[in-house]
Amino acid sequence: MGLFIFFQVVFDIAVIGAAIWIYLNKSEFLAATSQPDTQLLEQWKKDWELEKENQAQQLSMQLRSIRLLYEQTKKLVDEKLTTFSQFPVSQEENELKNLVSEKPQPTIPTLIEFEAQKERLKQDSNLDLRSLLADQLC
């Protein structure tokens, strides 16, 4: 037990001594470590800015190529009039396309119409479990 206390005291004195030595020499540590850090940060900042510019250039080039590809595709589709087969379009196909395009699209009911339909359905069907069981038992 005494040996443990001895080592504990020696360790505490060493920690306190190191703390005092660091406190007394902190100006040397700060001066030595602050300049390389700022230089390193400046270098990182320059590298990041160069990388940002390169990425912006690459992105603009990719966007230009995508836009050019889109324009070429649109031009080809417009030239072919969206006929993707080798055979000319028959009269029946034209009539079917016209019928499909003229087909009225179903309208999406509004919330008021939906609620009215819901209330009508509730009023129409007054079936509950009790009435169903009563009908089956009778």
Side-chain angles (χ1 to χ4, degrees):
M1 184 71 173
L3 191 60
F4 175 73
I5 293 173
F6 173 75
F7 284 122
Q8 185 67 38
V9 169
V10 169
F11 178 74
D12 290 343
I13 291 172
V15 169
I16 293 171
I20 291 172
W21 185 76
I22 289 173
Y23 178 75
L24 293 176
N25 296 322
K26 69 179 177 183
S27 61
E28 295 174 12
F29 287 124
L30 292 176
T33 58
S34 65
Q35 291 175 353
D37 288 343
T38 57
Q39 291 173 355
L40 184 62
L41 289 174
E42 291 297 323
Q43 182 63 34
W44 284 352
K45 183 179 175 183
K46 289 177 185 176
D47 291 343
W48 286 337
E49 288 174 358
L50 287 174
E51 186 176 345
K52 178 182 155 186
E53 291 174 7
N54 289 338
Q55 291 291 332
Q57 289 175 355
Q58 289 177 356
L59 183 63
S60 66
M61 288 174 50
Q62 289 173 350
L63 287 175
R64 271 188 258 128
S65 65
I66 289 172
R67 188 176 298 125
L68 181 63
L69 183 63
Y70 167 75
E71 289 171 358
Q72 290 173 349
T73 306
K74 186 175 180 188
K75 181 181 175 185
L76 284 174
V77 168
D78 289 342
E79 287 174 0
K80 297 294 182 178
L81 297 174
T82 64
T83 55
F84 295 111
S85 67
Q86 357 175 334
F87 305 109
V89 180
S90 66
Q91 181 66 25
E92 292 84 11
E93 285 180 288
N94 284 333
E95 290 173 2
L96 287 174
K97 285 181 185 178
N98 288 336
L99 286 175
V100 169
S101 64
E102 292 172 0
K103 180 181 176 183
Q105 297 295 328
T107 58
I108 299 174
T110 63
L111 184 60
I112 296 170
E113 294 171 351
F114 179 74
E115 291 294 329
Q117 179 71 14
K118 185 176 162 183
E119 289 299 320
R120 267 185 273 139
L121 289 175
K122 278 185 181 178
Q123 293 171 358
D124 289 346
S125 60
N126 282 335
L127 295 178
D128 58 349
L129 188 57
R130 183 175 289 162
S131 62
L132 288 174
L133 290 176
D135 290 341
Q136 289 178 358
L137 292 175
C138 292

